[in-house]
Amino acid sequence: MIGRLQGQLVAKQPPELLIDVNGVGYEVQVPMTCYYELPDVGKQVTLWTHFVVREDAQLLFGFNTADERALFRLLIKAQGIGPKLALTILSSMSANQFILSVQQSDVSTLVKIPGVGKKTAERLVVEMRDRLKNFTGADFDTGVPGVKPELIQTTASNAKDEALSALLALGYKANQAETVLRKVASDNMAAEDIIRQALKAMA
């Protein structure tokens, strides 16, 4: 099992990264809450990873901390929650927001996540409540992840296209994503910032 990667960040197209580890390129998918905290392309990065082997694919998911990975692993143990949906959940809200939603049985917030219907949200609340009792807000950053100031700005059109691709990869429908991007995107915004604002608007 691949549990941790440390290497050079070669490319990033949310939610996927390419990391060079001693000449081997690893494709890693990360939740947007982790993506926002990444360094620039060309810099060194360390990720805690979860490796998934299926008949048709081998998938590697990455996280900035071991606690974030632990939460992801708890999520995929829940009935009806696969790795892709778990990634979408952790992209749509912070770890603390998810934990709070479960603790407060806030089904109305959970159903706003693409792929999470009412029954799935209710099941998540029931199944995750006991599993999350050992997690506290101290385990995670309590602030809303922000875009690092040194991130390279892209052109407005490229940034919007990148943001749209990321939202589609996370399970949002094209018309829904395009509508919210028209509302939140403006010139000189980085793709990561557009995505963050779009996810916030759809929460």
Side-chain angles (χ1 to χ4, degrees):
M1 178 180 290
I2 303 171
R4 185 171 174 268
L5 288 178
Q6 185 172 30
Q8 183 183 46
L9 181 59
V10 176
K12 53 180 182 176
Q13 171 64 50
E16 190 168 279
L17 317 175
L18 180 62
I19 301 175
D20 185 316
V21 181
N22 296 323
V24 179
Y26 290 87
E27 293 181 345
V28 187
Q29 297 184 55
V30 300
M32 293 308 303
T33 46
C34 295
Y35 189 95
Y36 299 140
E37 301 299 320
L38 292 171
D40 292 338
V41 169
K43 299 290 183 65
Q44 291 291 304
V45 65
T46 300
L47 294 176
W48 297 86
T49 57
H50 180 82
F51 188 44
V52 175
V53 178
R54 302 189 321 211
E55 291 183 2
D56 59 342
Q58 296 184 24
L59 304 172
L60 194 59
F61 298 89
F63 309 89
N64 289 334
T65 68
D67 283 326
E68 290 170 341
R69 183 183 63 179
L71 179 56
F72 175 84
R73 287 176 169 174
L74 289 178
L75 268 171
I76 61 177
K77 290 180 180 178
Q79 183 181 351
I81 306 296
K84 286 284 190 179
L85 184 52
L87 192 75
T88 299
I89 292 171
L90 296 180
S91 292
S92 301
M93 58 175 54
S94 70
N96 280 336
Q97 289 171 330
F98 175 74
I99 292 172
L100 188 62
S101 294
V102 169
Q103 291 174 340
Q104 296 182 344
S105 300
D106 188 359
V107 172
S108 62
T109 294
L110 294 173
V111 296
K112 295 178 181 178
I113 301 170
V116 178
K118 185 178 180 181
K119 289 184 178 179
T120 299
E122 291 172 344
R123 195 161 56 236
L124 267 175
V125 167
V126 173
E127 292 189 33
M128 295 296 292
R129 186 178 289 119
D130 287 339
R131 294 174 184 172
L132 292 175
K133 63 184 178 182
N134 293 325
F135 280 88
T136 65
D139 296 316
F140 304 97
D141 182 3
T142 55
V144 176
V147 177
K148 290 182 177 296
E150 66 271 19
L151 282 172
I152 299 173
Q153 297 285 322
T154 58
T155 64
S157 59
N158 287 342
K160 290 178 183 177
D161 289 343
E162 186 175 336
L164 177 59
S165 296
L167 293 174
L168 295 178
L170 292 172
Y172 289 92
K173 294 181 179 179
N175 58 347
Q176 180 186 17
E178 290 169 354
T179 298
V180 75
L181 287 179
R182 283 196 294 270
K183 294 179 180 179
V184 304
S186 61
D187 293 343
N188 300 319
M189 286 179 69
E192 292 90 345
D193 205 9
I194 296 174
I195 297 165
R196 180 169 61 88
Q197 293 298 329
L199 290 172
K200 183 179 179 180
M202 291 188 284

